[in-house]
Amino acid sequence: MSEFLRPIVRPRRLRTSAAMRDLVAETSLRPSQLILPAFVREGASEPTPIGSMPGVVQHSRDSLRKAAVEAAEAGLKGIMLFGVPVTKDAVGSGATDPEGILNVAIADVVAEVGDALVVMGDLCLDEFTDHGHCGVLDATGRVDNDATLERYADMAVVQARAGAGLVGPSGMMDGQVAVIRDALDAAGFTETGILAYSAKYASAYYGPFREAVDSSLQGDRRTYQQDGRRNANEGVREALLDIEEGADIVMVKPALAYLDVLRRVADAARELGVPTAAYNISGEYSMLEAAAANGWIDREPAILETLTSIHRAGADMILTYWATEAAGLLR
Ligand code: PBG
């Protein structure tokens, strides 16, 4: 009999029972590491389902408050809000109107849950502009970086005044974190933090989000978001720049097609004492939901496998549309 038929090293011993597997688990994802992204629609009296994201809705102000309470009860610690305004214009005026939907929603949620959740505002103009771009346009129709920074500075202060604990600049303008930090400090909001969408790629996986926010975008965002296929070093550079500019947390987005970038950003940020977030985005949600609805994959284990992969790749926290449900599954 071959000596090789009797292995000396048997890794299977550590897989023999559920208790043994739990004992040796290297990674443990906790509900407190999940953040719920939520949409709120101006003037809505009922939540409106989003066709391409089964299970996700555009909230009314009331239903958003309830969702925030449920999120807190499930053990989440954060909620990221997106506004869906009724009227849009070239400069995205609704974003800096204290009565604008996103700003009133931030105040609503803060009033409802207090300190139980960190309330975050997506800081970007795309939901508010009639052209759908993340910034204001110059005379030639290109997104004007520095003119946009002025809008972001104002938007940050309005969100902070509404009670946001973290603002989330997601427009990929150069220098956005520095200008926001400066504006917040000058207005006395030295304790309002910045969760920077640092390595944000122009991705095909944003598709369902466009429906979620009634986006008016024609074309794409490739002159400001990063190349959606080819650049990883650049993502690390963007994150390091944001840290220098004062980001409190950096984020990689999307998550699944960029787990290598996430690993590298998380390693670099950790050296500097900065936590890393990842955004498990709309298209990542929808493709799993679609496969599950067809009976092609087992939904709940697939959700946990997906979220755990993002955590294992280095994310200290994850924005995911499954946050509240997944918190229940993780208990
Ligand atoms: C910009 C923003 C987007 C997402 C979050 N913030 C859209 C974009 O950059 O095109 C996408 C989130 C998702 O797809 O789930 N405001």
Side-chain angles (χ1 to χ4, degrees):
M1 191 173 79
S2 162
E3 59 181 304
F4 294 109
L5 283 172
R6 293 167 58 66
I8 293 167
V9 181
R10 294 181 184 270
R12 284 186 55 190
R13 282 184 202 120
L14 297 183
R15 302 174 198 144
T16 47
S17 68
M20 184 68 89
R21 292 190 291 273
D22 284 350
L23 195 64
V24 300
E26 298 170 32
T27 305
S28 115
L29 180 61
R30 287 173 278 121
S32 60
Q33 296 166 315
L34 302 177
I35 298 166
L36 179 69
F39 305 102
V40 55
R41 186 190 182 95
E42 187 173 15
S45 50
E46 294 289 316
T48 316
I50 300 165
S52 56
M53 300 180 74
V56 180
V57 299
Q58 291 177 334
H59 281 290
S60 65
R61 288 176 64 181
D62 266 350
S63 72
L64 176 66
R65 282 198 201 90
K66 288 188 196 114
V69 170
E70 276 171 32
E73 284 172 357
L76 307 188
K77 300 296 169 190
I79 186 166
M80 171 68 81
L81 302 179
F82 295 87
V84 185
V86 170
T87 51
K88 307 186 185 202
D89 61 23
V91 298
S93 303
T96 46
D97 178 353
E99 297 303 314
I101 182 61
L102 176 55
N103 301 315
V104 296
I106 290 171
D108 284 347
V109 174
V110 171
E112 187 72 38
V113 301
D115 280 344
L117 293 178
V118 178
V119 180
M120 312 173 192
D122 183 67
L123 200 166
C124 192
L125 292 175
D126 64 319
E127 292 94 358
F128 300 94
T129 51
D130 51 15
H131 45 73
H133 277 292
C134 292
V136 296
L137 307 183
D138 66 17
T140 67
R142 288 175 68 91
V143 175
D144 184 333
N145 192 87
D146 298 8
T148 301
L149 294 183
E150 290 180 37
R151 300 286 300 128
Y152 287 179
D154 292 349
M155 198 175 174
V157 173
V158 175
Q159 290 189 1
R161 216 166 260 146
L166 286 172
V167 297
S170 65
M172 289 301 283
M173 295 301 125
D174 292 337
Q176 63 186 11
V177 172
V179 82
I180 288 168
R181 183 68 271 152
D182 193 44
L184 289 171
D185 290 351
F189 294 107
T190 52
E191 302 215 323
T192 306
I194 301 175
L195 164 56
Y197 291 66
S198 299
K200 178 167 177 184
Y201 289 86
S203 170
Y205 289 98
Y206 298 139
F209 178 90
R210 301 276 151 81
E211 182 192 346
V213 298
D214 297 350
S215 173
S216 20
L217 183 70
Q218 305 282 322
D220 60 62
R221 305 198 196 288
R222 284 184 285 187
T223 67
Y224 43 107
Q225 295 180 346
Q226 291 175 241
D227 186 306
R229 290 176 205 153
R230 297 169 294 189
N231 291 358
N233 298 337
E234 189 191 8
V236 178
R237 181 187 189 207
E238 286 280 7
L240 291 174
L241 276 171
D242 281 359
I243 292 172
E244 267 176 48
E245 290 180 26
D248 298 284
I249 302 171
V250 292
M251 180 149 71
V252 175
K253 175 185 177 194
L256 295 181
Y258 301 87
L259 292 177
D260 58 327
V261 178
L262 174 57
R263 164 48 61 202
R264 290 181 54 192
V265 166
D267 286 348
R270 187 167 298 124
E271 287 291 311
L272 300 168
V274 174
T276 299
Y279 199 141
N280 173 220
I281 65 163
S282 58
E284 299 171 339
Y285 174 89
S286 299
M287 68 181 175
L288 192 156
E289 288 290 342
N294 278 289
W296 295 337
I297 52 172
D298 193 356
R299 185 175 172 280
E300 292 181 358
I303 290 171
L304 292 179
E305 190 171 331
T306 297
L307 296 178
T308 306
S309 77
I310 297 168
H311 181 51
R312 206 178 56 232
D316 299 303
M317 61 199 89
I318 304 172
L319 281 83
T320 171
Y321 301 98
W322 290 302
T324 304
E325 180 186 356
L329 300 176
L330 289 169
R331 291 238 158 143

